[in-house]
Amino acid sequence: MTNLTDAFASGLILPAAVLALLGWAVPRLLALVIPEGVRPLMLIALLSTLVMGVFGALFFAGLYVWQGMPMAALFEAGLAAGVVHFGRLSLISALLWGPIMVLSIAGLPKNWIKETW
């Protein structure tokens, strides 16, 4: 690993750090546009999970392409098989970003001004 590209594409630490950072940032960004309250907090949790699931699948597809696999080869077995494969990878990555996202969501009520927990 002589340069950043090699470290990102073939290593585990940098991609894991990116997913972990996004797991923290996505709920915080959604909280900027969704109002305060318990029900909106549950909406933030749902939307954050969906956004991170889609982003995780796209992230792994991007890593495959970055390492030199042609985009056509990713879905050679069919669109459904490719979506299932990257969806599975995204679910596995939830073990990393999921707890961080939960902690980020749990910290949102301390910044509420209008609502109380």
Side-chain angles (χ1 to χ4, degrees), residues 16-43:
V18 169
L19 285 172
L21 180 64
L22 284 171
W24 178 84
V26 167
R28 300 290 171 151
L29 293 173
L30 288 173
L32 296 174
V33 295
I34 296 177
E36 299 172 358
V38 176
R39 286 189 182 189
L41 188 66
M42 296 301 122
L43 179 63

Side-chain angles (χ1 to χ4, degrees), residues 1-71:
M1 288 190 242
T2 58
N3 60 29
L4 184 61
T5 303
D6 290 339
F8 188 76
S10 63
L12 294 176
I13 294 175
L14 195 55
V18 169
L19 285 172
L21 180 64
L22 284 171
W24 178 84
V26 167
R28 300 290 171 151
L29 293 173
L30 288 173
L32 296 174
V33 295
I34 296 177
E36 299 172 358
V38 176
R39 286 189 182 189
L41 188 66
M42 296 301 122
L43 179 63
I44 290 171
L46 175 66
L47 290 175
S48 295
T49 302
L50 293 175
V51 166
M52 286 301 298
V54 169
F55 184 78
L58 292 174
F59 185 77
F60 282 106
L63 284 177
Y64 274 60
V65 170
W66 192 333
Q67 290 180 345
M69 181 172 278
M71 184 64 88

Side-chain angles (χ1 to χ4, degrees), residues 79-103:
L79 182 63
V83 169
V84 167
H85 174 71
F86 290 111
R88 191 174 302 135
L89 290 175
S90 181
L91 284 174
I92 292 169
S93 74
L95 293 171
L96 174 73
W97 57 257
I100 295 168
M101 186 185 76
V102 169
L103 291 173

